[in-house]
Amino acid sequence: HVQLVESGGGSVQAGGSLRLSCKRSGPKYGGRCMGWTRQAPGKEREGVASIDTDGNTKYADSVKDRFIISRDNAKNTVALQMNGLKPEDTDVYYCAARFGIIATLIPGRYTYWGEGTQVTVS
């Protein structure tokens, strides 16, 4: 089965940058579309960015022009470069993968999830 392992979270001051990385292992059909979501305690999980195998991307309006999602199909990795971070970006960020080929920001359409990595912006 597909496994996802995130890395790169941490604490940063407002205006700073962080880069999250996710390593995918397992069948390739389980990761045609990859994405990042985030969730704060007591809130619903929110789609942040998504990318398909052709490199087509989608972003939440709240992160557009600040975050960049990318993937390396040869290395089975997906990254999220986060610039201009704001305190409201503080959340646990989860890497996600799905069988479908179309990028989506809807968390319920993802099948596989990582354990999450904390991002704190002060």
Side-chain angles (χ1 to χ4, degrees):
H1 63 281
V2 174
Q3 289 187 313
L4 304 172
V5 179
E6 303 102 335
S7 61
S11 298
V12 66
Q13 291 188 337
S17 298
L18 282 175
R19 183 177 177 87
L20 305 182
S21 184
C22 174
K23 173 70 174 178
R24 187 190 64 79
S25 60
K28 290 186 177 181
Y29 57 76
R32 295 189 183 108
C33 173
M34 303 286 293
W36 290 93
T37 65
R38 63 187 182 186
Q39 186 171 23
K43 293 187 176 181
E44 292 187 356
R45 194 163 293 193
E46 172 193 19
V48 175
S50 180
I51 186 168
D52 66 19
T53 52
D54 293 329
N56 299 305
T57 58
K58 287 186 178 180
Y59 294 95
D61 289 341
S62 58
V63 306
K64 202 171 293 184
D65 298 326
R66 298 189 297 123
F67 291 9
I68 301 172
I69 188 170
S70 60
R71 68 187 293 167
D72 185 330
N73 292 329
K75 296 182 179 179
N76 294 324
T77 59
V78 62
L80 185 68
Q81 177 66 41
M82 305 185 293
N83 303 316
L85 283 162
K86 305 175 181 180
E88 52 263 43
D89 293 319
T90 296
D91 269 321
V92 178
Y93 284 71
Y94 298 87
C95 178
R98 64 189 295 259
F99 292 101
I101 61 174
I102 298 174
T104 179
L105 297 177
I106 302 174
R109 294 186 176 174
Y110 287 89
T111 303
Y112 302 104
W113 297 89
E115 294 293 320
T117 185
Q118 177 70 47
V119 171
T120 302
V121 185
S122 59

